[in-house]
Amino acid sequence: MKFGITVLAVLMAGVIHDTHAETPQLRDRQTGKYLGNLSANPHDPNSTSNPYGQYGSQYSADSINNPYGRYGSPYSNDSANNPYATNPPAIIDPQR
């Protein structure tokens, strides 16, 4: 029984630690401009998955979800949605 409690405590410590991990960020490779958190959380105000946020809205100039914007157009050299882009956004680990 003691072994099971110890294993559970170790697992819970790992889960608690992971909840504080920062999500990856998107940044313009040339300018370093922040383009939001690469996250599936639609409630994070900085998430690329927040349809009402600056970095997730289909209308925002800074969003990879704007098909007419610099970072979301299928034709822009800076776009995450152009497979031939020469300067697509970089995925950055903020903990490094």
Side-chain angles (χ1 to χ4, degrees):
M1 184 67 172
K2 242 181 171 183
F3 176 74
I5 293 172
T6 303
V7 169
L8 181 61
V10 169
L11 290 174
M12 286 180 65
V15 169
I16 291 169
H17 181 264
D18 285 345
T19 60
H20 297 309
E22 294 184 51
T23 57
Q25 298 176 348
L26 288 180
R27 293 197 177 262
D28 184 304
R29 290 175 191 268
Q30 292 177 341
T31 65
K33 180 179 180 175
Y34 175 76
L35 299 172
N37 294 335
L38 191 58
S39 163
N41 182 354
H43 304 291
D44 176 357
N46 294 323
S47 174
T48 57
S49 295
N50 182 340
Y52 305 107
Q54 177 179 359
Y55 304 107
S57 169
Q58 64 179 342
Y59 304 108
S60 173
D62 295 330
S63 175
I64 62 169
N65 298 318
N66 180 347
Y68 303 106
R70 177 178 179 181
Y71 300 105
S73 167
Y75 308 107
S76 170
N77 258 348
D78 299 321
S79 176
N81 297 312
N82 179 355
Y84 304 106
T86 57
N87 183 45
I91 300 172
I92 306 296
D93 180 356
Q95 297 177 343
R96 287 189 177 197

